[in-house]
Amino acid sequence: VSENWDAPIVMTTMVQFLEVLFSGGTRGARKMHQLANSVLIFDEIQTLPINCTHLFCNALNFLTNYCNTTAVLCTATQPLLDKLKTPEKGQLTIPPENELAGDVTKLFEDLQRAKVIPKLKAEGWTTEQIAELAFGEFEKLGSCLIIVNTKSWAQQLYQALKPNIDNESIFQLSTNLCPAHRKAIFKKIHQRLGKSLPVLCVSTQLIEAGVDVDFASVIRFLAGLDSIAQAAGRCNRNGLQEMATVHVINPCEEKIDLLKDIKVGRGMTQRIFDEKFDDLLAPNAIEQYFNYYFYDRADEMDYPVSARKLGRDDNLLNLLSNNTKNIGRSKSSGLLQQSFMAAGKAFKAIDSPTQAVIVPYDDEAKHLIAELGRVAKEFDVKTYRRLLKQAQKFSVNVFPNVWKRLLKEDAVHEIQPGEGIYRLDKQYYSDDFGLSDKPCSLMDINLC
């Protein structure tokens, strides 16, 4: 089923959908025909990668206009895919009568459970000030969620808060924890919240979508308004309070230069705050936010490709359409002018060069690492692949700068030389923070 999507209902990801349509090779081609005569439901459509915007819109227009396909775009913050700055490059056609929710403004008013309150400071919030606000909300209301933009801030705040809070009540979540570890923490949080037990959680934005948790208060670091809306969805989710508060704050120091989505979104959100909307999550505020955000990033929406990758500066939309920079282009030729192979090689739905490493989270993970080493030596390919699939829940994806530090520390080792499958030394995995590029002391988390 995973090879050709040959099933009545298929659960997949936006990444897989985009890879099927635009990546090179034959794997995607075996699935593409299944998109015709189907209903495609895209959850959290606002997370569509900005560089894939025009490619996605053109593909969806083709599927709905010519392939008898129905598409449903689901989100609490609908992006303006039908109102792009350069519609000639491809945008969706969405008639007003296609809105399934009906009167969105009235629904927002009827279902609103939390208010966004900006609490921005010119000098920014210090660690101590944020910890004091979080602890105050936790003491007063019984549960508080702090959502930050970077893993370093998650660790920093957790360390600042932990000495004053019972170990059973405080949690930290980030992608430095393997999926199995995160799942176990989510289960504990959900159980405690369900029993009205105290919970204080510091998390990166991974908690914002698809996680059914209900905190009495949320503190959100300044980010895109769509992210803030997602954070609000974790606040008073079950309507136990008449109205809850999402506090939006700006930390005094934050390294987000490499996180362009967050950096640009933060600037556009500040513009919305300055315009004094009656409610910062109302549909008209969200629409204005996306007007600013999409206008600012219009030049990125056709999937630019650098000369380093392609030999010349170009974009995938051009390669797959007119291909005006094709040096072999001929107006009189009946041949296709597109550069399909070059486009397929250049396309990555997520262009982040990470390295996966299997971590020794628990006894099952340690046993799996040992089994992978044994099976690799015996050259049992079928079993080896099955074990690798199981290992995904114990794997952490590491960016190049962190990977270099782990190599320097001799913290990662190939399970079988030449295979490219790595394991992490147990000294570099913390029960609190997950993977670290420094040895973690079981006695003192400040050393991690």
Side-chain angles (χ1 to χ4, degrees):
V1 172
S2 62
E3 286 295 314
N4 58 16
W5 288 352
D6 186 16
I9 299 175
V10 176
M11 306 288 287
T12 187
T13 62
M14 175 65 83
V15 170
Q16 279 294 306
F17 176 79
L18 293 171
E19 292 280 353
V20 164
L21 289 169
F22 302 112
S23 66
T26 59
R27 293 183 64 186
R30 291 200 292 271
K31 303 173 182 175
M32 191 178 296
H33 68 287
Q34 303 288 6
L35 299 175
N37 301 308
S38 64
V39 177
L40 306 178
I41 301 174
F42 298 92
D43 194 19
E44 306 297 357
I45 187 61
Q46 81 282 354
T47 62
L48 173 72
I50 196 75
N51 62 343
C52 296
T53 302
H54 288 305
L55 294 176
F56 174 83
C57 289
N58 281 299
L60 211 58
N61 284 338
F62 173 78
L63 289 169
T64 54
N65 290 332
Y66 300 105
C67 300
N68 195 35
T69 299
T70 298
V72 182
L73 310 181
C74 302
T75 177
T77 53
Q78 196 71 244
L80 305 179
L81 297 178
D82 57 334
K83 299 176 183 177
L84 301 178
K85 182 182 177 182
T86 50
E88 68 277 7
K89 292 184 178 181
Q91 69 176 19
L92 297 183
T93 301
I94 308 177
E97 60 269 21
N98 283 25
E99 174 58 63
L100 297 179
D103 189 339
V104 176
T105 300
K106 187 176 187 307
L107 280 172
F108 169 79
E109 294 170 353
D110 292 344
L111 298 174
Q112 188 179 21
R113 301 181 298 273
K115 281 269 189 185
V116 170
I117 307 296
K119 293 186 174 180
L120 308 184
K121 296 182 178 184
E123 68 281 8
W125 288 65
T126 65
T127 302
E128 293 75 19
Q129 290 170 334
I130 301 169
E132 184 179 353
L133 174 63
F135 187 74
E137 292 291 286
F138 171 73
E139 286 279 275
K140 179 174 66 177
L141 299 170
S143 66
C144 181
L145 170 65
I146 309 110
I147 303 178
V148 300
N149 293 325
T150 65
K151 290 181 276 192
S152 59
W153 260 108
Q155 181 170 331
Q156 192 173 323
L157 278 176
Y158 179 85
Q159 288 176 312
L161 287 161
K162 189 169 183 180
N164 301 314
I165 296 174
D166 175 64
N167 280 344
E168 294 297 312
S169 302
I170 187 167
F171 303 89
Q172 188 267 165
L173 286 162
S174 81
T175 53
N176 276 346
L177 304 171
C178 68
H181 197 166
R182 296 201 300 267
K183 184 177 180 181
I185 291 175
F186 277 130
K187 184 178 180 180
K188 289 180 183 177
I189 290 173
H190 200 271
Q191 287 175 341
R192 291 184 66 83
L193 290 173
K195 296 176 182 178
S196 298
L197 295 172
V199 176
L200 180 59
C201 179
V202 185
S203 177
T204 58
Q205 62 199 79
L206 66 83
I207 201 171
E208 285 183 344
V211 180
D212 184 14
V213 288
D214 178 13
F215 284 85
S217 175
V218 168
I219 299 168
R220 181 61 169 94
F221 276 26
L222 184 62
L225 195 59
D226 54 334
S227 291
I228 293 171
Q230 290 290 343
R234 312 313 124 198
C235 186
N236 195 24
R237 188 175 181 85
N238 298 329
L240 300 179
Q241 306 172 71
E242 185 174 340
M243 189 63 66
T245 301
V246 177
H247 309 267
V248 179
I249 63 174
N250 55 325
C252 59
E253 185 178 345
E254 193 175 32
K255 296 178 181 178
I256 57 170
D257 287 341
L258 298 178
L259 304 173
K260 190 170 183 179
D261 290 351
I262 293 174
K263 188 173 183 178
V264 176
R266 190 173 66 169
M268 299 304 107
T269 299
Q270 284 186 291
R271 289 185 67 177
I272 297 298
F273 286 176
D274 292 341
E275 292 181 20
K276 310 297 182 185
F277 282 87
D278 291 336
D279 195 296
L280 294 166
L281 295 183
N284 61 336
I286 296 294
E287 181 173 351
Q288 184 67 294
Y289 167 77
F290 278 116
N291 271 326
Y292 292 148
Y293 187 80
F294 277 7
Y295 188 90
D296 190 81
R297 304 194 70 179
D299 292 342
E300 301 172 52
M301 291 183 173
D302 53 11
Y303 204 114
V305 184
S306 66
R308 179 176 56 84
K309 288 185 177 181
L310 198 62
R312 67 173 188 269
D313 289 330
D314 208 335
N315 62 76
L316 255 66
L317 186 65
N318 180 58
L319 291 175
L320 295 172
S321 53
N322 294 330
N323 205 10
T324 53
K325 297 182 180 180
N326 183 355
I327 58 174
R329 183 180 177 83
S330 172
K331 290 184 179 179
S332 60
S333 171
L335 299 175
L336 292 173
Q337 307 293 335
Q338 292 85 355
S339 298
F340 295 114
M341 185 177 293
K345 287 180 179 179
F347 181 80
K348 297 287 182 189
I350 299 179
D351 192 12
S352 55
T354 57
Q355 170 67 52
V357 57
I358 306 171
V359 301
Y361 162 60
D362 58 12
D363 290 340
E364 183 184 352
K366 294 170 187 174
H367 176 72
L368 191 62
I369 290 170
E371 280 292 287
L372 278 167
R374 180 186 65 79
V375 171
K377 287 179 182 178
E378 297 175 359
F379 203 66
D380 183 347
V381 176
K382 185 177 180 180
T383 304
Y384 189 65
R385 287 181 177 175
R386 177 177 58 80
L387 292 173
L388 283 179
K389 189 172 182 180
Q390 292 176 13
Q392 290 177 1
K393 64 180 179 180
F394 300 117
S395 298
V396 174
N397 290 319
V398 180
F399 284 98
N401 58 328
V402 178
W403 186 250
K404 287 179 182 178
R405 294 198 292 269
L406 290 172
L407 289 172
K408 188 176 179 179
E409 288 276 331
D410 196 30
V412 291
H413 310 278
E414 271 197 292
I415 292 176
Q416 184 67 20
E419 292 293 323
I421 308 299
Y422 290 85
R423 65 172 177 85
L424 183 74
D425 189 292
K426 63 181 180 181
Q427 296 182 72
Y428 294 82
Y429 196 81
S430 160
D431 287 341
D432 290 304
F433 305 120
L435 183 143
S436 171
D437 58 6
K438 296 294 180 186
C440 302
S441 168
L442 296 177
M443 301 300 293
D444 186 359
I445 64 169
N446 289 315
L447 295 179
C448 182

